[in-house]
Amino acid sequence: MQPALEQVWSWLGELPDPEIPVVSLTDLGIIRDVAWEGGTLVVTVTPTYSGCPAAGVISLDIERHLRARGIDDLRLERRLSPPWTTDWITPKAREALRVYGIAPPVGTAARASRMTGAAGPVACPRCGSEATEKVSQFGSTPCKAAWRCRDCLEPFDYFKCH
Amino acid sequence: MAPAMSDVMTPDAAELARRSQGSGRAPLAIGSPGHDLFLGLARLGDNTLILGHRVSEWCGHAPILEEDIALANMALDLIGQTQLWLGLAGQVEGAGRDADALAFRRDAWDFCNLLLVERPNGDFGQTLMRQFLFDAWHQPMLAALEGSSDARIAEIAAKAGKEVAYHVERSADLVIRLGDGTEESHARMQAALNALWPYTGEMFLGDATDARLAEAGIMPAPESLRAPWDATVNAVLAEATLTRPVGTFAHRGGKQGRHTEHLGHLLATMQWLQRAYPDARW
């Protein structure tokens, strides 16, 4: 008997992102579709960054998790278009990021600065101060930038608009 | 049998080598739409692969921690894009080669990256200037590819374009900071610009393959990227107080498989494991 799609979505919602475990794969918006094709469950995943080292682990996690729940006939598909954007991160996940110490993306990806460098202001996830500054556009993973708070002096990660 | 040394500088060295290898499979006919598409994709993927590898050579050696991380992240983006471009190239070729086979089992004369991206890293200024000169081209290239008549190319370009927007922002910012910095940093950035300048012209030189791909609306004509590149480069160099070199001489040949000696050394490092232990897995 095939589990209902809602059930599959809820199982997928239990899977944490391997790099940022406070956020689930579904909250991150990278699972684009779940569908039955005859007896085969097809899970469509979109990558965050082309070279994201977590991508392989994510596929493995999905497969292992669903197999453990009795789904043996399973196929993962990659979908590139439309490209993943931080706009798809749910409000719940944004708050979870902040509590975890990562400043969530500010504004929408379409508004993200390019040559102007005017991304922000980013509030410090620890003390809430907006007296913050960018240290580097690239942080501990491709999706994050390194920022610093001028009030509490703590460095922090900023999940940059993408 | 590899081509003789005297063959290496002939215009069709890559073709000579390919014939002498006798791979046994029916190759796509030179000049056919399939071969043009394969070559166009391999050029894109080889650029990101070779530059990605070059940039990764800095891992653990950059002047400050933030730059070490930034360089490693950009290398990751470029290698990730390589998987998409070379993956599609292998699919188009239909000879059973995947992205790994193309990256690790081809020899220098089959690589078709721009000579610019195989330039050695040099000092941090040279690495940075090479990155900026490439990023300023890469961004309009991907923007044009987003409108490709081939939907598979358009979607990879849309994905990669979002990443490269951050690359050009960083490299332009640092070129300005170091160009308009101390006497020492200014001198190094100007020296890097002068040394790399003769390698920039190749980005805008097309061959018959480029012309056919442009005609079919699959990829932009290389010369069409000159104006947006000039605009970015002129604006950034002016703010960086650097002088744009006047020379127009362009080293060329990388796209056709004729490389500088530096590529072979890079490949020796990059490919040794797959060469020593073919199909190794871990």
mmCIF file with all atom_site columns, all heavy atoms in Angstrom, chain B residues 78-101:
data_model
loop_
_atom_site.group_PDB
_atom_site.id
_atom_site.type_symbol
_atom_site.label_atom_id
_atom_site.label_alt_id
_atom_site.label_comp_id
_atom_site.label_asym_id
_atom_site.label_entity_id
_atom_site.label_seq_id
_atom_site.pdbx_PDB_ins_code
_atom_site.Cartn_x
_atom_site.Cartn_y
_atom_site.Cartn_z
_atom_site.occupancy
_atom_site.B_iso_or_equiv
_atom_site.pdbx_formal_charge
_atom_site.auth_seq_id
_atom_site.auth_comp_id
_atom_site.auth_asym_id
_atom_site.auth_atom_id
_atom_site.pdbx_PDB_model_num
ATOM 1   N N   . LEU B 1 78  ? 32.591 27.050 -8.504  1.00 0.00 ? 78  LEU B N   1
ATOM 2   C CA  . LEU B 1 78  ? 33.069 26.809 -9.871  1.00 0.00 ? 78  LEU B CA  1
ATOM 3   C C   . LEU B 1 78  ? 33.105 25.311 -10.188 1.00 0.00 ? 78  LEU B C   1
ATOM 4   O O   . LEU B 1 78  ? 32.734 24.883 -11.278 1.00 0.00 ? 78  LEU B O   1
ATOM 5   C CB  . LEU B 1 78  ? 34.453 27.443 -10.069 1.00 0.00 ? 78  LEU B CB  1
ATOM 6   C CG  . LEU B 1 78  ? 34.455 28.982 -10.064 1.00 0.00 ? 78  LEU B CG  1
ATOM 7   C CD1 . LEU B 1 78  ? 35.874 29.533 -9.953  1.00 0.00 ? 78  LEU B CD1 1
ATOM 8   C CD2 . LEU B 1 78  ? 33.773 29.534 -11.319 1.00 0.00 ? 78  LEU B CD2 1
ATOM 9   N N   . ILE B 1 79  ? 33.539 24.502 -9.222  1.00 0.00 ? 79  ILE B N   1
ATOM 10  C CA  . ILE B 1 79  ? 33.579 23.056 -9.454  1.00 0.00 ? 79  ILE B CA  1
ATOM 11  C C   . ILE B 1 79  ? 32.145 22.508 -9.556  1.00 0.00 ? 79  ILE B C   1
ATOM 12  O O   . ILE B 1 79  ? 31.860 21.623 -10.359 1.00 0.00 ? 79  ILE B O   1
ATOM 13  C CB  . ILE B 1 79  ? 34.347 22.321 -8.321  1.00 0.00 ? 79  ILE B CB  1
ATOM 14  C CG1 . ILE B 1 79  ? 35.757 22.885 -8.170  1.00 0.00 ? 79  ILE B CG1 1
ATOM 15  C CG2 . ILE B 1 79  ? 34.378 20.814 -8.554  1.00 0.00 ? 79  ILE B CG2 1
ATOM 16  C CD1 . ILE B 1 79  ? 36.755 22.529 -9.190  1.00 0.00 ? 79  ILE B CD1 1
ATOM 17  N N   . GLY B 1 80  ? 31.241 23.073 -8.750  1.00 0.00 ? 80  GLY B N   1
ATOM 18  C CA  . GLY B 1 80  ? 29.838 22.658 -8.833  1.00 0.00 ? 80  GLY B CA  1
ATOM 19  C C   . GLY B 1 80  ? 29.255 22.976 -10.209 1.00 0.00 ? 80  GLY B C   1
ATOM 20  O O   . GLY B 1 80  ? 28.539 22.158 -10.801 1.00 0.00 ? 80  GLY B O   1
ATOM 21  N N   . GLN B 1 81  ? 29.584 24.147 -10.725 1.00 0.00 ? 81  GLN B N   1
ATOM 22  C CA  . GLN B 1 81  ? 29.107 24.512 -12.063 1.00 0.00 ? 81  GLN B CA  1
ATOM 23  C C   . GLN B 1 81  ? 29.727 23.596 -13.117 1.00 0.00 ? 81  GLN B C   1
ATOM 24  O O   . GLN B 1 81  ? 29.082 23.242 -14.103 1.00 0.00 ? 81  GLN B O   1
ATOM 25  C CB  . GLN B 1 81  ? 29.439 25.981 -12.356 1.00 0.00 ? 81  GLN B CB  1
ATOM 26  C CG  . GLN B 1 81  ? 28.649 26.951 -11.486 1.00 0.00 ? 81  GLN B CG  1
ATOM 27  C CD  . GLN B 1 81  ? 29.227 28.360 -11.466 1.00 0.00 ? 81  GLN B CD  1
ATOM 28  O OE1 . GLN B 1 81  ? 30.010 28.726 -12.336 1.00 0.00 ? 81  GLN B OE1 1
ATOM 29  N NE2 . GLN B 1 81  ? 28.845 29.139 -10.476 1.00 0.00 ? 81  GLN B NE2 1
ATOM 30  N N   . THR B 1 82  ? 30.979 23.198 -12.882 1.00 0.00 ? 82  THR B N   1
ATOM 31  C CA  . THR B 1 82  ? 31.645 22.275 -13.793 1.00 0.00 ? 82  THR B CA  1
ATOM 32  C C   . THR B 1 82  ? 30.870 20.970 -13.918 1.00 0.00 ? 82  THR B C   1
ATOM 33  O O   . THR B 1 82  ? 30.714 20.421 -15.010 1.00 0.00 ? 82  THR B O   1
ATOM 34  C CB  . THR B 1 82  ? 33.071 21.953 -13.278 1.00 0.00 ? 82  THR B CB  1
ATOM 35  O OG1 . THR B 1 82  ? 33.785 23.174 -13.131 1.00 0.00 ? 82  THR B OG1 1
ATOM 36  C CG2 . THR B 1 82  ? 33.805 21.023 -14.233 1.00 0.00 ? 82  THR B CG2 1
ATOM 37  N N   . GLN B 1 83  ? 30.388 20.468 -12.769 1.00 0.00 ? 83  GLN B N   1
ATOM 38  C CA  . GLN B 1 83  ? 29.628 19.207 -12.799 1.00 0.00 ? 83  GLN B CA  1
ATOM 39  C C   . GLN B 1 83  ? 28.407 19.329 -13.697 1.00 0.00 ? 83  GLN B C   1
ATOM 40  O O   . GLN B 1 83  ? 28.048 18.396 -14.403 1.00 0.00 ? 83  GLN B O   1
ATOM 41  C CB  . GLN B 1 83  ? 29.224 18.809 -11.380 1.00 0.00 ? 83  GLN B CB  1
ATOM 42  C CG  . GLN B 1 83  ? 30.411 18.311 -10.565 1.00 0.00 ? 83  GLN B CG  1
ATOM 43  C CD  . GLN B 1 83  ? 30.054 18.023 -9.133  1.00 0.00 ? 83  GLN B CD  1
ATOM 44  O OE1 . GLN B 1 83  ? 29.210 18.685 -8.538  1.00 0.00 ? 83  GLN B OE1 1
ATOM 45  N NE2 . GLN B 1 83  ? 30.702 17.025 -8.544  1.00 0.00 ? 83  GLN B NE2 1
ATOM 46  N N   . LEU B 1 84  ? 27.773 20.510 -13.657 1.00 0.00 ? 84  LEU B N   1
ATOM 47  C CA  . LEU B 1 84  ? 26.586 20.709 -14.498 1.00 0.00 ? 84  LEU B CA  1
ATOM 48  C C   . LEU B 1 84  ? 26.974 20.818 -15.973 1.00 0.00 ? 84  LEU B C   1
ATOM 49  O O   . LEU B 1 84  ? 26.381 20.164 -16.828 1.00 0.00 ? 84  LEU B O   1
ATOM 50  C CB  . LEU B 1 84  ? 25.829 21.960 -14.053 1.00 0.00 ? 84  LEU B CB  1
ATOM 51  C CG  . LEU B 1 84  ? 25.307 21.942 -12.600 1.00 0.00 ? 84  LEU B CG  1
ATOM 52  C CD1 . LEU B 1 84  ? 24.706 23.290 -12.224 1.00 0.00 ? 84  LEU B CD1 1
ATOM 53  C CD2 . LEU B 1 84  ? 24.274 20.841 -12.423 1.00 0.00 ? 84  LEU B CD2 1
ATOM 54  N N   . TRP B 1 85  ? 27.979 21.628 -16.282 1.00 0.00 ? 85  TRP B N   1
ATOM 55  C CA  . TRP B 1 85  ? 28.368 21.823 -17.694 1.00 0.00 ? 85  TRP B CA  1
ATOM 56  C C   . TRP B 1 85  ? 28.950 20.549 -18.300 1.00 0.00 ? 85  TRP B C   1
ATOM 57  O O   . TRP B 1 85  ? 28.563 20.131 -19.385 1.00 0.00 ? 85  TRP B O   1
ATOM 58  C CB  . TRP B 1 85  ? 29.400 22.954 -17.837 1.00 0.00 ? 85  TRP B CB  1
ATOM 59  C CG  . TRP B 1 85  ? 28.901 24.335 -17.565 1.00 0.00 ? 85  TRP B CG  1
ATOM 60  C CD1 . TRP B 1 85  ? 29.460 25.254 -16.712 1.00 0.00 ? 85  TRP B CD1 1
ATOM 61  C CD2 . TRP B 1 85  ? 27.767 25.008 -18.155 1.00 0.00 ? 85  TRP B CD2 1
ATOM 62  N NE1 . TRP B 1 85  ? 28.743 26.425 -16.722 1.00 0.00 ? 85  TRP B NE1 1
ATOM 63  C CE2 . TRP B 1 85  ? 27.705 26.308 -17.596 1.00 0.00 ? 85  TRP B CE2 1
ATOM 64  C CE3 . TRP B 1 85  ? 26.797 24.637 -19.075 1.00 0.00 ? 85  TRP B CE3 1
ATOM 65  C CZ2 . TRP B 1 85  ? 26.724 27.236 -17.937 1.00 0.00 ? 85  TRP B CZ2 1
ATOM 66  C CZ3 . TRP B 1 85  ? 25.805 25.559 -19.424 1.00 0.00 ? 85  TRP B CZ3 1
ATOM 67  C CH2 . TRP B 1 85  ? 25.775 26.837 -18.859 1.00 0.00 ? 85  TRP B CH2 1
ATOM 68  N N   . LEU B 1 86  ? 29.906 19.948 -17.606 1.00 0.00 ? 86  LEU B N   1
ATOM 69  C CA  . LEU B 1 86  ? 30.528 18.742 -18.172 1.00 0.00 ? 86  LEU B CA  1
ATOM 70  C C   . LEU B 1 86  ? 29.568 17.551 -18.132 1.00 0.00 ? 86  LEU B C   1
ATOM 71  O O   . LEU B 1 86  ? 29.632 16.666 -18.989 1.00 0.00 ? 86  LEU B O   1
ATOM 72  C CB  . LEU B 1 86  ? 31.846 18.411 -17.461 1.00 0.00 ? 86  LEU B CB  1
ATOM 73  C CG  . LEU B 1 86  ? 33.000 19.410 -17.681 1.00 0.00 ? 86  LEU B CG  1
ATOM 74  C CD1 . LEU B 1 86  ? 34.295 18.877 -17.057 1.00 0.00 ? 86  LEU B CD1 1
ATOM 75  C CD2 . LEU B 1 86  ? 33.217 19.714 -19.161 1.00 0.00 ? 86  LEU B CD2 1
ATOM 76  N N   . GLY B 1 87  ? 28.671 17.546 -17.142 1.00 0.00 ? 87  GLY B N   1
ATOM 77  C CA  . GLY B 1 87  ? 27.660 16.490 -17.101 1.00 0.00 ? 87  GLY B CA  1
ATOM 78  C C   . GLY B 1 87  ? 26.791 16.540 -18.356 1.00 0.00 ? 87  GLY B C   1
ATOM 79  O O   . GLY B 1 87  ? 26.536 15.515 -19.003 1.00 0.00 ? 87  GLY B O   1
ATOM 80  N N   . LEU B 1 88  ? 26.384 17.747 -18.721 1.00 0.00 ? 88  LEU B N   1
ATOM 81  C CA  . LEU B 1 88  ? 25.558 17.913 -19.921 1.00 0.00 ? 88  LEU B CA  1
ATOM 82  C C   . LEU B 1 88  ? 26.387 17.633 -21.181 1.00 0.00 ? 88  LEU B C   1
ATOM 83  O O   . LEU B 1 88  ? 25.889 17.023 -22.139 1.00 0.00 ? 88  LEU B O   1
ATOM 84  C CB  . LEU B 1 88  ? 24.968 19.333 -19.960 1.00 0.00 ? 88  LEU B CB  1
ATOM 85  C CG  . LEU B 1 88  ? 24.030 19.655 -21.117 1.00 0.00 ? 88  LEU B CG  1
ATOM 86  C CD1 . LEU B 1 88  ? 22.876 18.654 -21.225 1.00 0.00 ? 88  LEU B CD1 1
ATOM 87  C CD2 . LEU B 1 88  ? 23.457 21.082 -20.970 1.00 0.00 ? 88  LEU B CD2 1
ATOM 88  N N   . ALA B 1 89  ? 27.659 18.043 -21.165 1.00 0.00 ? 89  ALA B N   1
ATOM 89  C CA  . ALA B 1 89  ? 28.527 17.776 -22.322 1.00 0.00 ? 89  ALA B CA  1
ATOM 90  C C   . ALA B 1 89  ? 28.626 16.273 -22.569 1.00 0.00 ? 89  ALA B C   1
ATOM 91  O O   . ALA B 1 89  ? 28.505 15.805 -23.706 1.00 0.00 ? 89  ALA B O   1
ATOM 92  C CB  . ALA B 1 89  ? 29.921 18.371 -22.094 1.00 0.00 ? 89  ALA B CB  1
ATOM 93  N N   . GLY B 1 90  ? 28.811 15.503 -21.495 1.00 0.00 ? 90  GLY B N   1
ATOM 94  C CA  . GLY B 1 90  ? 28.909 14.056 -21.625 1.00 0.00 ? 90  GLY B CA  1
ATOM 95  C C   . GLY B 1 90  ? 27.610 13.442 -22.149 1.00 0.00 ? 90  GLY B C   1
ATOM 96  O O   . GLY B 1 90  ? 27.619 12.523 -22.975 1.00 0.00 ? 90  GLY B O   1
ATOM 97  N N   . GLN B 1 91  ? 26.508 13.997 -21.676 1.00 0.00 ? 91  GLN B N   1
ATOM 98  C CA  . GLN B 1 91  ? 25.186 13.524 -22.115 1.00 0.00 ? 91  GLN B CA  1
ATOM 99  C C   . GLN B 1 91  ? 25.011 13.792 -23.620 1.00 0.00 ? 91  GLN B C   1
ATOM 100 O O   . GLN B 1 91  ? 24.551 12.926 -24.360 1.00 0.00 ? 91  GLN B O   1
ATOM 101 C CB  . GLN B 1 91  ? 24.160 14.322 -21.324 1.00 0.00 ? 91  GLN B CB  1
ATOM 102 C CG  . GLN B 1 91  ? 22.807 13.688 -21.161 1.00 0.00 ? 91  GLN B CG  1
ATOM 103 C CD  . GLN B 1 91  ? 21.926 14.636 -20.327 1.00 0.00 ? 91  GLN B CD  1
ATOM 104 O OE1 . GLN B 1 91  ? 22.322 15.092 -19.247 1.00 0.00 ? 91  GLN B OE1 1
ATOM 105 N NE2 . GLN B 1 91  ? 20.752 14.957 -20.836 1.00 0.00 ? 91  GLN B NE2 1
ATOM 106 N N   . VAL B 1 92  ? 25.393 14.992 -24.046 1.00 0.00 ? 92  VAL B N   1
ATOM 107 C CA  . VAL B 1 92  ? 25.274 15.376 -25.457 1.00 0.00 ? 92  VAL B CA  1
ATOM 108 C C   . VAL B 1 92  ? 26.179 14.499 -26.320 1.00 0.00 ? 92  VAL B C   1
ATOM 109 O O   . VAL B 1 92  ? 25.812 14.069 -27.408 1.00 0.00 ? 92  VAL B O   1
ATOM 110 C CB  . VAL B 1 92  ? 25.655 16.867 -25.625 1.00 0.00 ? 92  VAL B CB  1
ATOM 111 C CG1 . VAL B 1 92  ? 25.935 17.199 -27.084 1.00 0.00 ? 92  VAL B CG1 1
ATOM 112 C CG2 . VAL B 1 92  ? 24.554 17.757 -25.069 1.00 0.00 ? 92  VAL B CG2 1
ATOM 113 N N   . GLU B 1 93  ? 27.382 14.210 -25.801 1.00 0.00 ? 93  GLU B N   1
ATOM 114 C CA  . GLU B 1 93  ? 28.332 13.405 -26.561 1.00 0.00 ? 93  GLU B CA  1
ATOM 115 C C   . GLU B 1 93  ? 27.820 11.983 -26.762 1.00 0.00 ? 93  GLU B C   1
ATOM 116 O O   . GLU B 1 93  ? 28.036 11.372 -27.817 1.00 0.00 ? 93  GLU B O   1
ATOM 117 C CB  . GLU B 1 93  ? 29.681 13.377 -25.834 1.00 0.00 ? 93  GLU B CB  1
ATOM 118 C CG  . GLU B 1 93  ? 30.767 12.683 -26.630 1.00 0.00 ? 93  GLU B CG  1
ATOM 119 C CD  . GLU B 1 93  ? 32.035 12.459 -25.825 1.00 0.00 ? 93  GLU B CD  1
ATOM 120 O OE1 . GLU B 1 93  ? 31.947 12.140 -24.616 1.00 0.00 ? 93  GLU B OE1 1
ATOM 121 O OE2 . GLU B 1 93  ? 33.119 12.598 -26.410 1.00 0.00 ? 93  GLU B OE2 1
ATOM 122 N N   . GLY B 1 94  ? 27.164 11.446 -25.727 1.00 0.00 ? 94  GLY B N   1
ATOM 123 C CA  . GLY B 1 94  ? 26.562 10.122 -25.847 1.00 0.00 ? 94  GLY B CA  1
ATOM 124 C C   . GLY B 1 94  ? 27.547 8.969  -25.953 1.00 0.00 ? 94  GLY B C   1
ATOM 125 O O   . GLY B 1 94  ? 27.232 7.925  -26.500 1.00 0.00 ? 94  GLY B O   1
ATOM 126 N N   . ALA B 1 95  ? 28.768 9.186  -25.448 1.00 0.00 ? 95  ALA B N   1
ATOM 127 C CA  . ALA B 1 95  ? 29.775 8.130  -25.530 1.00 0.00 ? 95  ALA B CA  1
ATOM 128 C C   . ALA B 1 95  ? 30.036 7.501  -24.167 1.00 0.00 ? 95  ALA B C   1
ATOM 129 O O   . ALA B 1 95  ? 31.039 6.809  -23.975 1.00 0.00 ? 95  ALA B O   1
ATOM 130 C CB  . ALA B 1 95  ? 31.073 8.698  -26.106 1.00 0.00 ? 95  ALA B CB  1
ATOM 131 N N   . GLY B 1 96  ? 29.143 7.768  -23.238 1.00 0.00 ? 96  GLY B N   1
ATOM 132 C CA  . GLY B 1 96  ? 29.275 7.138  -21.929 1.00 0.00 ? 96  GLY B CA  1
ATOM 133 C C   . GLY B 1 96  ? 30.229 7.838  -20.973 1.00 0.00 ? 96  GLY B C   1
ATOM 134 O O   . GLY B 1 96  ? 30.564 7.297  -19.926 1.00 0.00 ? 96  GLY B O   1
ATOM 135 N N   . ARG B 1 97  ? 30.684 9.065  -21.349 1.00 0.00 ? 97  ARG B N   1
ATOM 136 C CA  . ARG B 1 97  ? 31.575 9.775  -20.431 1.00 0.00 ? 97  ARG B CA  1
ATOM 137 C C   . ARG B 1 97  ? 30.749 10.720 -19.567 1.00 0.00 ? 97  ARG B C   1
ATOM 138 O O   . ARG B 1 97  ? 29.958 11.512 -20.084 1.00 0.00 ? 97  ARG B O   1
ATOM 139 C CB  . ARG B 1 97  ? 32.623 10.586 -21.217 1.00 0.00 ? 97  ARG B CB  1
ATOM 140 C CG  . ARG B 1 97  ? 33.577 9.689  -21.990 1.00 0.00 ? 97  ARG B CG  1
ATOM 141 C CD  . ARG B 1 97  ? 34.843 10.430 -22.365 1.00 0.00 ? 97  ARG B CD  1
ATOM 142 N NE  . ARG B 1 97  ? 34.634 11.398 -23.459 1.00 0.00 ? 97  ARG B NE  1
ATOM 143 C CZ  . ARG B 1 97  ? 35.637 12.104 -23.998 1.00 0.00 ? 97  ARG B CZ  1
ATOM 144 N NH1 . ARG B 1 97  ? 36.871 11.972 -23.535 1.00 0.00 ? 97  ARG B NH1 1
ATOM 145 N NH2 . ARG B 1 97  ? 35.394 12.936 -24.986 1.00 0.00 ? 97  ARG B NH2 1
ATOM 146 N N   . ASP B 1 98  ? 30.943 10.638 -18.230 1.00 0.00 ? 98  ASP B N   1
ATOM 147 C CA  . ASP B 1 98  ? 30.257 11.576 -17.345 1.00 0.00 ? 98  ASP B CA  1
ATOM 148 C C   . ASP B 1 98  ? 31.218 12.729 -17.008 1.00 0.00 ? 98  ASP B C   1
ATOM 149 O O   . ASP B 1 98  ? 32.326 12.802 -17.559 1.00 0.00 ? 98  ASP B O   1
ATOM 150 C CB  . ASP B 1 98  ? 29.738 10.874 -16.088 1.00 0.00 ? 98  ASP B CB  1
ATOM 151 C CG  . ASP B 1 98  ? 30.855 10.225 -15.275 1.00 0.00 ? 98  ASP B CG  1
ATOM 152 O OD1 . ASP B 1 98  ? 32.046 10.465 -15.597 1.00 0.00 ? 98  ASP B OD1 1
ATOM 153 O OD2 . ASP B 1 98  ? 30.547 9.488  -14.322 1.00 0.00 ? 98  ASP B OD2 1
ATOM 154 N N   . ALA B 1 99  ? 30.768 13.624 -16.116 1.00 0.00 ? 99  ALA B N   1
ATOM 155 C CA  . ALA B 1 99  ? 31.593 14.801 -15.792 1.00 0.00 ? 99  ALA B CA  1
ATOM 156 C C   . ALA B 1 99  ? 32.960 14.372 -15.253 1.00 0.00 ? 99  ALA B C   1
ATOM 157 O O   . ALA B 1 99  ? 33.986 14.977 -15.589 1.00 0.00 ? 99  ALA B O   1
ATOM 158 C CB  . ALA B 1 99  ? 30.871 15.687 -14.780 1.00 0.00 ? 99  ALA B CB  1
ATOM 159 N N   . ASP B 1 100 ? 32.998 13.347 -14.415 1.00 0.00 ? 100 ASP B N   1
ATOM 160 C CA  . ASP B 1 100 ? 34.273 12.888 -13.855 1.00 0.00 ? 100 ASP B CA  1
ATOM 161 C C   . ASP B 1 100 ? 35.202 12.371 -14.945 1.00 0.00 ? 100 ASP B C   1
ATOM 162 O O   . ASP B 1 100 ? 36.404 12.641 -14.933 1.00 0.00 ? 100 ASP B O   1
ATOM 163 C CB  . ASP B 1 100 ? 34.044 11.782 -12.816 1.00 0.00 ? 100 ASP B CB  1
ATOM 164 C CG  . ASP B 1 100 ? 33.599 12.344 -11.481 1.00 0.00 ? 100 ASP B CG  1
ATOM 165 O OD1 . ASP B 1 100 ? 33.643 13.577 -11.307 1.00 0.00 ? 100 ASP B OD1 1
ATOM 166 O OD2 . ASP B 1 100 ? 33.203 11.547 -10.609 1.00 0.00 ? 100 ASP B OD2 1
ATOM 167 N N   . ALA B 1 101 ? 34.645 11.603 -15.880 1.00 0.00 ? 101 ALA B N   1
ATOM 168 C CA  . ALA B 1 101 ? 35.481 11.064 -16.954 1.00 0.00 ? 101 ALA B CA  1
ATOM 169 C C   . ALA B 1 101 ? 36.077 12.210 -17.779 1.00 0.00 ? 101 ALA B C   1
ATOM 170 O O   . ALA B 1 101 ? 37.253 12.171 -18.155 1.00 0.00 ? 101 ALA B O   1
ATOM 171 C CB  . ALA B 1 101 ? 34.664 10.135 -17.848 1.00 0.00 ? 101 ALA B CB  1
#
